[in-house]
Amino acid sequence: MKKVYLIAVLFALIAGFATYMFASEIDKKSTIKDADTVTVFVPVADIEANTSITEDMFAEDAGVFATKTVIAEDKAPNAVTSKEELLDMVTIDTLYAGEQINSKRLESIDGEDVALSLKLAKGKVAYSFDAPSVTSVDGYISEGDTVDVLIYEDEEGKEKSEIAYKGLKILRVSTNSDNSKASKNGSAITEYSTLTVEVTKEQALELYDIENTYSYKLILNPRD
């Protein structure tokens, strides 16, 4: 007899638990249905750091980004909710598939954390050359300036000075390490021995030849 009672009690507990779970599921679905929702963007696959986000990535057949509807409370801080927040930005960290995209992991093309290679104009390369104080206008050159290259040569006792290049754009002053330290400390670089300029490959070869063949100095041009 006791066995019958125990079995009855066991079935009653199972039935009660099943009823509770069923009711909870209904309540959960009802809560989700009635809750405020928001649409966020997620990558379909991992997107590596230093990737430029362009218009063609949003084409239907591109398979780069997807939208996902989540409860407002589940929206991650700084989650991207519009295409405009992504377009023309660069990833500074890897974006992982299915995760809500954090806008703090994106930066504009002019941002300090963006790879220099992404900032080069089409057909141009970056070239670094020696530019100690006596050569580079006593340390007054800054990023964004343009310089002319003045060379001096002595051919068979005949001295000659001429402008070899005009308007070379300064991309970076000093080394990457110095720039990183200055950025973290919020200071400016006032002493340097190298400059990085934007040139064509042909110009890079000629600048290399100038470095190894002639005496040269830089002329700082006024900004527009």
Side-chain angles (χ1 to χ4, degrees):
M1 199 68 171
K2 288 183 178 179
K3 273 188 179 180
V4 174
Y5 286 131
L6 286 173
I7 292 172
V9 171
L10 181 60
F11 275 107
L13 289 172
I14 293 173
F17 181 73
T19 302
Y20 170 77
M21 291 300 294
F22 180 70
S24 297
E25 189 64 23
I26 292 176
D27 183 61
K28 182 180 178 182
K29 288 182 178 179
S30 177
T31 301
I32 293 174
K33 183 179 178 181
D34 297 335
D36 292 331
T37 60
V38 62
T39 299
V40 297
F41 277 78
V42 299
V44 174
D46 291 353
I47 300 176
E48 295 181 356
N50 285 314
T51 298
S52 294
I53 300 176
T54 55
E55 180 69 45
D56 59 316
M57 290 182 176
F58 296 91
E60 290 185 10
D61 59 347
V64 179
F65 297 107
T67 56
K68 181 178 180 181
T69 301
V70 299
I71 296 175
E73 292 181 357
D74 293 336
K75 175 180 172 290
N78 306 306
V80 171
T81 59
S82 68
K83 171 183 172 181
E84 288 68 30
E85 293 178 77
L86 290 169
L87 194 59
D88 297 327
M89 300 297 279
V90 176
T91 61
I92 56 175
D93 288 307
T94 299
L95 305 182
Y96 295 101
E99 288 188 355
Q100 298 180 39
I101 299 174
N102 189 329
S103 61
K104 297 296 184 181
R105 298 164 79 179
L106 306 170
E107 195 163 345
S108 69
I109 193 67
D110 296 322
E112 293 182 358
D113 294 325
V114 175
L116 181 59
S117 58
L118 294 172
K119 301 181 181 184
L120 295 172
K122 187 175 181 180
K124 296 295 183 69
V125 298
Y127 178 84
S128 297
F129 62 95
D130 292 332
S133 178
V134 68
T135 300
S136 59
V137 200
D138 204 22
Y140 286 108
I141 296 175
S142 302
E143 287 184 21
D145 284 336
T146 62
V147 297
D148 297 342
V149 181
L150 173 65
I151 63 172
Y152 166 83
E153 59 181 318
D154 185 352
E155 290 185 354
E156 299 177 354
K158 196 173 184 180
E159 297 180 353
K160 180 182 178 183
S161 296
E162 64 178 344
I163 301 295
Y165 283 109
K166 289 185 177 181
L168 292 181
K169 180 183 177 182
I170 303 297
L171 296 177
R172 290 286 186 272
V173 173
S174 196
T175 64
N176 182 45
S177 177
D178 288 341
N179 277 274
S180 296
K181 290 177 183 177
S183 178
K184 290 179 181 178
N185 298 330
S187 58
I189 296 176
T190 56
E191 295 183 6
Y192 52 85
S193 59
T194 60
L195 293 171
T196 300
V197 292
E198 184 180 63
V199 293
T200 64
K201 287 186 177 180
E202 291 74 16
Q203 288 176 320
L205 289 171
E206 290 170 0
L207 283 174
Y208 180 77
D209 183 57
I210 287 173
E211 278 193 280
N212 290 279
T213 306
Y214 305 102
S215 295
Y216 64 94
K217 297 192 81 169
L218 303 180
I219 300 172
L220 177 62
N221 295 316
R223 294 220 184 187
D224 292 335

